[in-house]
Amino acid sequence: MSIEYVLVSEGEQDEPIELPTEEDGSLLLSTVAAQFAGASGLKYRSGGRLRGLRLTDEHVLPPADGWAANRYFCAFPRADSTALMPRPRCSDLIVLGLPWKTGEEAVRDYFAAFGELLMVQVKRDMKTGLSKGFGFIKFADYEAQMRALGRRHMIDGRWCDVRIPNSKDGSSANHRKVFVGRCTESLTADDLREYFGAFGQVTDVFVPKPFRAFSFVTFLDPEVAQSLCGQDHIIKGVSVNISSASPKRERGTRSQLVGWGLVDSTARVYSWPPDAWHHSNHSTHPHTAAVPDTKPYLKYE
């Protein structure tokens, strides 16, 4: 078979160039790629529709009616946006509240259920060799790290917390929680979980009882939570406002008791859900004695 020249352009509207075929009538993909870097095949338009050409052993085969009947342009692999994004790096995580008897092997056995571990260390006193009650771990996979940060952990009969060291407000959990204001009694925890689940994995929804016109939603990924802050959302016809939530450190001297919370010139104090704390010292906070096992919670206005 004699050599033909095929009209090929990079895009459908670009000026074509002639590429030579092989003796068997096919067009080498390497011939196309030499002129159009990254091309993975050829396509053409027939009857208003795009059609692709068959590729066999790096040879582009002509259509049934031959090369001359059409003009061709290049096909390129679709860019994978996730491949262009840098993969999040895992951090060293601190494990707080470890029982004194718990060693590194027990810590490794427990957290191995979340993913591969690169490092496990229980901090010990240099003189006595006894555990200091905390340690460090590091995962190989970022998703495993997020799963471990998304919950509390029962290790050797004691509740332990996993955090990113030196994170703001002392706990990465604060960045995963958002305050949902302007709620109505018609919005249930299931409604909030279903709605916010479209943005990322929701690990907890807290709707206070009795009703207090706000809720808290906790995400697995803190970046999802922070991306929603400052926005208004319509949930089942109710316009709610999302803002960040962070624990209260100090009460201002100008605070006064108003209803269920303390209000000062800059912030409103609400209550934590009862199951978030083990104990509460009511003797130092007599105004909160009516709410069992709670600690104040600060929502910045």
mmCIF file of all heavy atoms in Angstrom, residues 212 251-265 267-271 285-291 296:
data_model
loop_
_atom_site.group_PDB
_atom_site.id
_atom_site.type_symbol
_atom_site.label_atom_id
_atom_site.label_comp_id
_atom_site.label_asym_id
_atom_site.label_seq_id
_atom_site.Cartn_x
_atom_site.Cartn_y
_atom_site.Cartn_z
ATOM 1 N N ARG A 212 -32.581 25.575 72.079
ATOM 2 C CA ARG A 212 -31.926 26.856 72.318
ATOM 3 C C ARG A 212 -31.504 27.557 71.029
ATOM 4 O O ARG A 212 -30.605 28.381 71.029
ATOM 5 C CB ARG A 212 -30.727 26.668 73.245
ATOM 6 C CG ARG A 212 -31.148 26.407 74.679
ATOM 7 C CD ARG A 212 -29.963 26.487 75.601
ATOM 8 N NE ARG A 212 -29.303 25.206 75.750
ATOM 9 C CZ ARG A 212 -28.144 25.035 76.355
ATOM 10 N NH1 ARG A 212 -27.497 26.068 76.837
ATOM 11 N NH2 ARG A 212 -27.613 23.836 76.462
ATOM 12 N N ARG A 251 -13.571 33.877 81.609
ATOM 13 C CA ARG A 251 -14.775 34.696 81.633
ATOM 14 C C ARG A 251 -14.401 36.126 81.919
ATOM 15 O O ARG A 251 -13.647 36.417 82.834
ATOM 16 C CB ARG A 251 -15.745 34.200 82.709
ATOM 17 C CG ARG A 251 -16.404 32.885 82.353
ATOM 18 C CD ARG A 251 -17.424 32.523 83.399
ATOM 19 N NE ARG A 251 -18.071 31.271 83.047
ATOM 20 C CZ ARG A 251 -18.943 30.665 83.833
ATOM 21 N NH1 ARG A 251 -19.260 31.185 85.000
ATOM 22 N NH2 ARG A 251 -19.494 29.539 83.460
ATOM 23 N N GLY A 252 -14.925 37.057 81.156
ATOM 24 C CA GLY A 252 -14.650 38.467 81.388
ATOM 25 C C GLY A 252 -15.311 38.936 82.674
ATOM 26 O O GLY A 252 -16.348 38.436 83.087
ATOM 27 N N THR A 253 -14.726 39.935 83.282
ATOM 28 C CA THR A 253 -15.265 40.437 84.540
ATOM 29 C C THR A 253 -16.587 41.144 84.324
ATOM 30 O O THR A 253 -17.359 41.324 85.266
ATOM 31 C CB THR A 253 -14.269 41.407 85.184
ATOM 32 O OG1 THR A 253 -13.974 42.450 84.239
ATOM 33 C CG2 THR A 253 -12.980 40.684 85.541
ATOM 34 N N ARG A 254 -16.864 41.533 83.044
ATOM 35 C CA ARG A 254 -18.101 42.257 82.788
ATOM 36 C C ARG A 254 -19.239 41.319 82.408
ATOM 37 O O ARG A 254 -20.324 41.784 82.070
ATOM 38 C CB ARG A 254 -17.873 43.264 81.661
ATOM 39 C CG ARG A 254 -16.944 44.377 82.038
ATOM 40 C CD ARG A 254 -16.750 45.316 80.861
ATOM 41 N NE ARG A 254 -16.118 44.619 79.750
ATOM 42 C CZ ARG A 254 -16.033 45.124 78.525
ATOM 43 N NH1 ARG A 254 -16.586 46.298 78.268
ATOM 44 N NH2 ARG A 254 -15.431 44.461 77.563
ATOM 45 N N SER A 255 -19.013 39.996 82.449
ATOM 46 C CA SER A 255 -20.046 39.053 82.039
ATOM 47 C C SER A 255 -21.222 39.081 83.004
ATOM 48 O O SER A 255 -21.068 39.303 84.203
ATOM 49 C CB SER A 255 -19.466 37.641 81.995
ATOM 50 O OG SER A 255 -18.447 37.559 81.033
ATOM 51 N N GLN A 256 -22.412 38.834 82.482
ATOM 52 C CA GLN A 256 -23.593 38.770 83.318
ATOM 53 C C GLN A 256 -24.432 37.574 82.907
ATOM 54 O O GLN A 256 -24.349 37.103 81.785
ATOM 55 C CB GLN A 256 -24.418 40.052 83.175
ATOM 56 C CG GLN A 256 -24.829 40.345 81.721
ATOM 57 C CD GLN A 256 -25.631 41.598 81.630
ATOM 58 O OE1 GLN A 256 -26.281 41.989 82.577
ATOM 59 N NE2 GLN A 256 -25.607 42.239 80.472
ATOM 60 N N LEU A 257 -25.195 37.053 83.835
ATOM 61 C CA LEU A 257 -26.007 35.874 83.572
ATOM 62 C C LEU A 257 -27.258 36.256 82.803
ATOM 63 O O LEU A 257 -28.013 37.114 83.217
ATOM 64 C CB LEU A 257 -26.406 35.211 84.904
ATOM 65 C CG LEU A 257 -27.160 33.892 84.791
ATOM 66 C CD1 LEU A 257 -26.266 32.851 84.133
ATOM 67 C CD2 LEU A 257 -27.607 33.408 86.162
ATOM 68 N N VAL A 258 -27.433 35.632 81.630
ATOM 69 C CA VAL A 258 -28.619 35.887 80.827
ATOM 70 C C VAL A 258 -29.145 34.552 80.330
ATOM 71 O O VAL A 258 -28.537 33.913 79.496
ATOM 72 C CB VAL A 258 -28.302 36.791 79.608
ATOM 73 C CG1 VAL A 258 -29.548 36.992 78.769
ATOM 74 C CG2 VAL A 258 -27.748 38.128 80.071
ATOM 75 N N GLY A 259 -30.297 34.128 80.852
ATOM 76 C CA GLY A 259 -30.904 32.885 80.383
ATOM 77 C C GLY A 259 -29.985 31.698 80.590
ATOM 78 O O GLY A 259 -29.516 31.431 81.683
ATOM 79 N N TRP A 260 -29.681 30.998 79.459
ATOM 80 C CA TRP A 260 -28.849 29.795 79.531
ATOM 81 C C TRP A 260 -27.370 30.108 79.394
ATOM 82 O O TRP A 260 -26.544 29.215 79.497
ATOM 83 C CB TRP A 260 -29.248 28.836 78.412
ATOM 84 C CG TRP A 260 -30.495 28.111 78.721
ATOM 85 C CD1 TRP A 260 -31.758 28.470 78.372
ATOM 86 C CD2 TRP A 260 -30.614 26.900 79.447
ATOM 87 N NE1 TRP A 260 -32.651 27.568 78.836
ATOM 88 C CE2 TRP A 260 -31.982 26.575 79.495
ATOM 89 C CE3 TRP A 260 -29.719 26.045 80.076
ATOM 90 C CZ2 TRP A 260 -32.465 25.446 80.127
ATOM 91 C CZ3 TRP A 260 -30.183 24.906 80.704
ATOM 92 C CH2 TRP A 260 -31.549 24.624 80.733
ATOM 93 N N GLY A 261 -27.001 31.359 79.097
ATOM 94 C CA GLY A 261 -25.582 31.611 78.859
ATOM 95 C C GLY A 261 -25.138 32.902 79.497
ATOM 96 O O GLY A 261 -25.919 33.682 80.033
ATOM 97 N N LEU A 262 -23.833 33.122 79.463
ATOM 98 C CA LEU A 262 -23.258 34.365 79.934
ATOM 99 C C LEU A 262 -22.941 35.219 78.727
ATOM 100 O O LEU A 262 -22.375 34.742 77.755
ATOM 101 C CB LEU A 262 -21.973 34.086 80.720
ATOM 102 C CG LEU A 262 -22.156 33.306 82.013
ATOM 103 C CD1 LEU A 262 -20.799 32.983 82.592
ATOM 104 C CD2 LEU A 262 -22.985 34.081 83.014
ATOM 105 N N VAL A 263 -23.293 36.486 78.783
ATOM 106 C CA VAL A 263 -23.089 37.367 77.641
ATOM 107 C C VAL A 263 -22.227 38.539 78.067
ATOM 108 O O VAL A 263 -22.479 39.157 79.085
ATOM 109 C CB VAL A 263 -24.439 37.889 77.099
ATOM 110 C CG1 VAL A 263 -24.202 38.837 75.923
ATOM 111 C CG2 VAL A 263 -25.322 36.737 76.685
ATOM 112 N N ASP A 264 -21.160 38.827 77.291
ATOM 113 C CA ASP A 264 -20.400 40.044 77.503
ATOM 114 C C ASP A 264 -20.358 40.804 76.193
ATOM 115 O O ASP A 264 -21.088 40.506 75.263
ATOM 116 C CB ASP A 264 -18.997 39.765 78.071
ATOM 117 C CG ASP A 264 -18.196 38.861 77.150
ATOM 118 O OD1 ASP A 264 -18.506 38.845 75.944
ATOM 119 O OD2 ASP A 264 -17.262 38.203 77.642
ATOM 120 N N SER A 265 -19.476 41.771 76.087
ATOM 121 C CA SER A 265 -19.489 42.649 74.913
ATOM 122 C C SER A 265 -18.974 41.980 73.665
ATOM 123 O O SER A 265 -19.165 42.491 72.578
ATOM 124 C CB SER A 265 -18.632 43.893 75.208
ATOM 125 O OG SER A 265 -17.296 43.498 75.495
ATOM 126 N N ALA A 267 -18.663 38.118 73.299
ATOM 127 C CA ALA A 267 -18.879 36.692 73.091
ATOM 128 C C ALA A 267 -20.095 36.188 73.839
ATOM 129 O O ALA A 267 -20.546 36.795 74.794
ATOM 130 C CB ALA A 267 -17.643 35.909 73.542
ATOM 131 N N ARG A 268 -20.603 35.063 73.395
ATOM 132 C CA ARG A 268 -21.729 34.400 74.051
ATOM 133 C C ARG A 268 -21.266 33.017 74.512
ATOM 134 O O ARG A 268 -20.645 32.281 73.760
ATOM 135 C CB ARG A 268 -22.894 34.249 73.077
ATOM 136 C CG ARG A 268 -24.110 33.576 73.696
ATOM 137 C CD ARG A 268 -25.224 33.460 72.663
ATOM 138 N NE ARG A 268 -25.688 34.759 72.204
ATOM 139 C CZ ARG A 268 -26.611 35.465 72.829
ATOM 140 N NH1 ARG A 268 -27.178 35.002 73.923
ATOM 141 N NH2 ARG A 268 -26.979 36.634 72.360
ATOM 142 N N VAL A 269 -21.571 32.693 75.760
ATOM 143 C CA VAL A 269 -21.122 31.431 76.329
ATOM 144 C C VAL A 269 -22.283 30.446 76.374
ATOM 145 O O VAL A 269 -23.321 30.742 76.950
ATOM 146 C CB VAL A 269 -20.563 31.643 77.753
ATOM 147 C CG1 VAL A 269 -20.057 30.337 78.321
ATOM 148 C CG2 VAL A 269 -19.457 32.678 77.716
ATOM 149 N N TYR A 270 -22.087 29.282 75.784
ATOM 150 C CA TYR A 270 -23.084 28.227 75.816
ATOM 151 C C TYR A 270 -22.522 27.030 76.585
ATOM 152 O O TYR A 270 -21.452 27.111 77.171
ATOM 153 C CB TYR A 270 -23.460 27.816 74.389
ATOM 154 C CG TYR A 270 -24.064 28.928 73.585
ATOM 155 C CD1 TYR A 270 -23.304 29.616 72.641
ATOM 156 C CD2 TYR A 270 -25.387 29.318 73.773
ATOM 157 C CE1 TYR A 270 -23.844 30.652 71.906
ATOM 158 C CE2 TYR A 270 -25.931 30.348 73.032
ATOM 159 C CZ TYR A 270 -25.151 31.015 72.103
ATOM 160 O OH TYR A 270 -25.688 32.027 71.375
ATOM 161 N N SER A 271 -23.243 25.944 76.577
ATOM 162 C CA SER A 271 -22.803 24.774 77.321
ATOM 163 C C SER A 271 -22.349 23.659 76.398
ATOM 164 O O SER A 271 -22.895 23.467 75.326
ATOM 165 C CB SER A 271 -23.940 24.242 78.207
ATOM 166 O OG SER A 271 -24.289 25.203 79.171
ATOM 167 N N HIS A 285 -18.433 27.430 89.931
ATOM 168 C CA HIS A 285 -19.339 28.056 88.987
ATOM 169 C C HIS A 285 -20.779 27.813 89.411
ATOM 170 O O HIS A 285 -21.482 27.011 88.813
ATOM 171 C CB HIS A 285 -19.113 27.504 87.574
ATOM 172 C CG HIS A 285 -17.714 27.688 87.089
ATOM 173 N ND1 HIS A 285 -17.206 28.914 86.754
ATOM 174 C CD2 HIS A 285 -16.719 26.786 86.901
ATOM 175 C CE1 HIS A 285 -15.941 28.770 86.362
ATOM 176 N NE2 HIS A 285 -15.638 27.495 86.452
ATOM 177 N N PRO A 286 -21.227 28.463 90.467
ATOM 178 C CA PRO A 286 -22.566 28.181 91.002
ATOM 179 C C PRO A 286 -23.678 28.485 90.031
ATOM 180 O O PRO A 286 -24.734 27.894 90.100
ATOM 181 C CB PRO A 286 -22.646 29.094 92.234
ATOM 182 C CG PRO A 286 -21.667 30.203 91.946
ATOM 183 C CD PRO A 286 -20.541 29.575 91.192
ATOM 184 N N HIS A 287 -23.460 29.387 89.074
ATOM 185 C CA HIS A 287 -24.535 29.742 88.156
ATOM 186 C C HIS A 287 -24.844 28.632 87.182
ATOM 187 O O HIS A 287 -25.889 28.634 86.547
ATOM 188 C CB HIS A 287 -24.166 31.012 87.384
ATOM 189 C CG HIS A 287 -24.040 32.226 88.257
ATOM 190 N ND1 HIS A 287 -25.067 32.677 89.033
ATOM 191 C CD2 HIS A 287 -22.979 33.048 88.473
ATOM 192 C CE1 HIS A 287 -24.662 33.763 89.695
ATOM 193 N NE2 HIS A 287 -23.396 33.985 89.370
ATOM 194 N N THR A 288 -23.924 27.691 86.985
ATOM 195 C CA THR A 288 -24.152 26.621 86.018
ATOM 196 C C THR A 288 -24.594 25.325 86.687
ATOM 197 O O THR A 288 -24.653 24.294 86.049
ATOM 198 C CB THR A 288 -22.875 26.335 85.209
ATOM 199 O OG1 THR A 288 -21.834 25.954 86.113
ATOM 200 C CG2 THR A 288 -22.439 27.578 84.448
ATOM 201 N N ALA A 289 -24.917 25.388 87.975
ATOM 202 C CA ALA A 289 -25.252 24.166 88.696
ATOM 203 C C ALA A 289 -26.529 23.522 88.196
ATOM 204 O O ALA A 289 -26.737 22.335 88.369
ATOM 205 C CB ALA A 289 -25.399 24.479 90.193
ATOM 206 N N ALA A 290 -27.399 24.281 87.547
ATOM 207 C CA ALA A 290 -28.654 23.714 87.064
ATOM 208 C C ALA A 290 -28.464 22.820 85.856
ATOM 209 O O ALA A 290 -29.345 22.084 85.482
ATOM 210 C CB ALA A 290 -29.634 24.843 86.709
ATOM 211 N N VAL A 291 -27.280 22.887 85.214
ATOM 212 C CA VAL A 291 -27.017 22.053 84.047
ATOM 213 C C VAL A 291 -25.958 21.028 84.414
ATOM 214 O O VAL A 291 -24.804 21.363 84.605
ATOM 215 C CB VAL A 291 -26.521 22.910 82.852
ATOM 216 C CG1 VAL A 291 -26.345 22.034 81.623
ATOM 217 C CG2 VAL A 291 -27.472 24.046 82.595
ATOM 218 N N PRO A 296 -18.670 25.623 80.167
ATOM 219 C CA PRO A 296 -19.087 26.725 79.273
ATOM 220 C C PRO A 296 -18.460 26.579 77.896
ATOM 221 O O PRO A 296 -17.369 26.052 77.748
ATOM 222 C CB PRO A 296 -18.579 27.977 79.991
ATOM 223 C CG PRO A 296 -17.469 27.472 80.861
ATOM 224 C CD PRO A 296 -17.866 26.099 81.287
#
